[in-house]
């Protein structure tokens, strides 16, 4: 019991004192996950819009695959990216394995289908409302998709942040492709896993507190933005 | 509104030849043949579920007929550009009133400066200039429908389709919308609208196309239609609504 109390105190001291090791880990986590979310949004949101608006052969099966990929186990993504980037793999020449770049790649693959599937759902609802009007005004599929993306921007913020939550909180993929190298590829989740198994609770706990804080903060922000937007734009 | 001067109608007449439309084996429009000419305001009248809205969507090109042909004789390909449609429930984009109008103009290939001028012109014409920069979705139902009219009007269409444009509006807003339809007609735009409201058909129509159960039951000038309907269905429809007028 005492150990845990000490761990809490030390953890809070680490956060309060802006411990350099801790801030470096948090910074790398943020960089990797934000980059992954940005990339995933660039792929996932247009894909979602295309699936919502387009009527093409294979659309239905693409939707099913996207929905299934939402539940992709991070360790499997890690394994696949590992195989791609390992020296004998097809992308081995890039020398990306065990770098933050590899972690961005893994998280992008993990998060893009989530954004595509969720945005497809949200945009399809909007499309039901807009379709006749936009077709009447002469909008083609591309224009319609862009209009839907812009008009649904506030719902999409929530989806992007859900993706961010997933990216920041996963441990399996970054552990495998990053290797959890101290000072290079060590992020919040991998550090928590490692330090906990080593019995060094204060750093793990401190990072855990920050991670939960970030996820909470991000969701609160999403809610605020959405509410404000709804009041303003209806 | 001077800027969107409507040119001589180069699109009409609109000719439907034996047009049918079925969905999942259920026939909604059944062998309609009719020629709609430039000039008089055409009101498609009929009970709920008669197929009025579907007929209008076929004419506008939002639906393709299962059989039969729809041709704009005045134009080789019956361009969507020269016609516009206002729906029963206006669909407002999540942006300002002005931007909603500019959006339609942009799709019609109008340049940015001209879009601004025309948008303000038409907003003024429908009495919405003061709310030009307000988000369209926070406007009242009546204002939204006037904005939808403005968005269609700004395109300077030769033909304007209106699908039950006042079905969701209160009497005051209905009057405003009806007066705007009159103005658009006066500007030279051909009006084709659906309604199930006899009073509105009388006020706004020059000729009536009476649709019942997917068929064109009767076509007549408005006075003749209401005083001496030729078909039994039309007579029953007019009578059925009389007690509540």
């Amino acid at each position: 019991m005492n150990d845990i109390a000490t761990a809490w105190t030390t953890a809070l001291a680490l956060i309060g004192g802006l411990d350099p090791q801790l801030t470096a880990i948090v910074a790398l986590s943020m960089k990797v996950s934000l980059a992954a979310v940005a990339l995933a949004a660039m792929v996932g949101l247009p894909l979602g819009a295309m699936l919502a608006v387009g009527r093409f052969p294979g659309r239905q099966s693409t939707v099913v695959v996207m929905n299934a990929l939402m539940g992709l186990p991070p360790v499997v993504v890690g394994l696949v990216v590992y195989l791609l980037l390992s020296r004998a793999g097809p992308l081995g020449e890039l020398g990306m394995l065990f770098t933050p770049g590899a972690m961005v790649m893994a998280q992008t693959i993990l998060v893009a289908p989530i954004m595509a599937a969720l945005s497809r759902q949200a945009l399809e609802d909007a499309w039901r409302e807009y379709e006749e009007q936009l077709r009447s005004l002469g909008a083609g599929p591309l224009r319609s998709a862009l209009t839907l993306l812009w008009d649904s921007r506030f719902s999409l913020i929530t989806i992007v942040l859900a993706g961010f939550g997933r990216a920041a909180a996963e441990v399996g993929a970054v552990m495998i492709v990053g290797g959890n190298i101290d000072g290079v590829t060590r992020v919040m989740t991998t550090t928590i896993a490692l330090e906990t198994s080593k019995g060094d609770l204060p750093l793990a706990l401190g990072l855990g507190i920050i991670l939960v804080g970030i996820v909470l903060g991000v969701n609160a922000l999403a809610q605020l933005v959405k509410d404000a937007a709804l009041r303003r734009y209806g | 509104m001077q800027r969107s001067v409507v040119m001589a109608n180069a699109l009409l007449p609109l000719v439907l030849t034996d047009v049918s439309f079925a969905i999942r084996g259920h026939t909604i429009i059944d062998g309609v043949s009719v020629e709609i000419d430039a000039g008089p305001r055409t009101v498609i009248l009929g009970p709920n579920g008669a197929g009025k809205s579907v007929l209008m969507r076929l004419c506008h090109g939002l639906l393709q007929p299962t059989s039969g042909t729809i041709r704009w004789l005045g134009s080789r390909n019956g361009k969507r550009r020269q016609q516009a449609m206002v729906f029963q429930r206006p669909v407002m984009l999540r942006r300002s009133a002005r931007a909603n109008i500019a959006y339609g103009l942009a799709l019609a290939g109008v340049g940015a400066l001209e879009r601004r001028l025309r948008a303000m012109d038409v907003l003024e014409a429908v009495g919405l200039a003061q709310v030009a920069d307000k988000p369209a979705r926070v406007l009242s139902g009546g204002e939204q429908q006037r904005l939808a009219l403005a968005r269609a009007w700004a395109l300077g269409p030769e033909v304007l389709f209106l699908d039950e444009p006042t079905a969701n509006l209160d009497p005051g807003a209905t009057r405003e919308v009806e007066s705007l339809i009159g103005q658009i007609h006066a500007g030279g735009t051909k009006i084709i609208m659906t309604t199930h409201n006899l009073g509105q058909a009388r006020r706004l129509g020059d000729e009536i196309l009476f649709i019942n159960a997917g068929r064109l039951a009767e076509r007549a000038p408005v006075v003749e239609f209401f005083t001496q309907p030729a078909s039994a269905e039309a007579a029953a429809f007019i009578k059925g609504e009389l007690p509540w007028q």
Side-chain angles (χ1 to χ4, degrees), chain A residues 47 51 58-72 109-110 112-114 116-117 120:
Chain A
L47 184 58
L51 289 172
R59 175 185 169 273
Q60 208 56 38
S61 33
T62 313
V63 169
V64 171
V65 170
M66 281 300 148
N67 285 341
L69 288 182
M70 279 212 288
L72 210 55
I109 293 173
L110 196 63
I114 297 178
R120 195 270 308 166

Side-chain angles (χ1 to χ4, degrees), chain B residues 155-236:
Chain B
L155 301 171
E158 292 177 23
V159 178
L160 178 59
F161 291 101
L162 301 132
D163 187 19
E164 301 268 7
T166 65
N168 295 333
L169 302 182
D170 64 36
T174 298
R175 247 194 320 278
E176 287 165 352
V177 166
E178 286 186 357
S179 120
L180 282 173
I181 294 171
Q183 282 182 53
I184 295 172
H185 170 67
T189 298
K190 165 77 180 181
I191 301 287
I192 302 176
M193 67 178 282
T194 64
T195 185
H196 61 264
N197 179 318
L198 292 177
Q200 185 165 63
R202 255 198 209 123
R203 285 193 297 277
L204 291 185
D206 294 315
E207 64 167 351
I208 304 283
L209 296 183
F210 180 69
I211 305 289
N212 194 32
R215 297 174 157 278
L216 177 62
E218 181 167 352
R219 175 189 199 169
V222 66
V223 177
E224 199 180 307
F225 179 82
F226 282 106
T227 51
Q228 39 189 309
S231 63
E233 292 125 299

Side-chain angles (χ1 to χ4, degrees), chain B residues 54-122:
Chain B
V54 170
L55 184 62
M56 179 160 279
R57 281 165 173 75
L58 287 165
C59 292
H60 187 42
L62 288 176
L63 295 175
Q64 295 305 316
T66 314
S67 64
T69 58
I70 296 174
R71 283 174 305 151
W72 296 89
L73 287 196
S75 148
R76 235 166 292 149
N77 50 3
K79 278 176 236 120
R80 180 86 50 79
R81 284 279 144 75
Q82 292 154 291
Q83 20 156 337
M85 180 155 172
V86 171
F87 297 85
Q88 180 171 345
R89 249 172 8 96
V91 179
M92 290 296 134
L93 303 179
R94 211 165 256 118
R95 51 191 89 189
S96 72
R98 188 212 308 262
N100 263 275
I101 292 172
Y103 179 85
L105 289 170
L107 283 180
V110 177
L113 184 66
E114 176 74 7
R115 286 206 288 271
R116 247 192 113 67
L117 292 172
R118 271 215 236 172
M120 271 331 279
D121 261 10
V122 76

Side-chain angles (χ1 to χ4, degrees), chain A residues 53-202:
Chain A
V53 170
R55 291 290 172 267
F56 47 87
R59 175 185 169 273
Q60 208 56 38
S61 33
T62 313
V63 169
V64 171
V65 170
M66 281 300 148
N67 285 341
L69 288 182
M70 279 212 288
L72 210 55
V75 282
V76 175
V77 174
L79 175 60
V80 170
V81 174
Y82 181 91
L83 291 175
L84 283 175
L85 294 180
S86 65
R87 197 152 298 175
L91 299 178
E93 282 176 25
L94 298 177
M96 270 175 71
L97 197 59
F98 305 134
T99 66
M103 298 155 80
V104 170
M105 188 171 164
Q107 290 196 346
T108 304
I109 293 173
L110 196 63
V111 171
I114 297 178
M115 291 196 188
L118 292 180
S119 63
R120 195 270 308 166
Q121 231 157 54
L123 295 176
E124 207 165 80
D125 289 343
W127 183 233
R128 221 161 285 147
E129 182 191 347
Y130 283 36
E131 181 177 6
E132 285 199 320
Q133 180 69 67
L134 294 191
R135 281 179 54 209
S136 171
L137 289 172
L142 181 64
R143 185 63 180 246
S144 299
L146 291 174
T147 303
L148 278 189
L149 283 171
W150 176 247
D151 260 55
S152 307
R153 54 200 182 276
F154 304 120
S155 332
L156 296 182
I157 289 177
T158 317
I159 289 169
V160 169
L161 292 178
F164 176 76
R166 166 94 161 156
E170 75 80 28
V171 54
V174 283
M175 182 76 96
I176 294 177
V177 303
N180 200 20
I181 304 166
D182 195 6
V184 183
T185 58
R186 190 160 290 179
V187 291
M188 286 195 273
T189 52
T190 56
T191 311
I192 292 172
L194 178 70
E195 299 302 319
T196 305
S197 61
K198 275 177 22 191
D200 179 5
L201 292 184

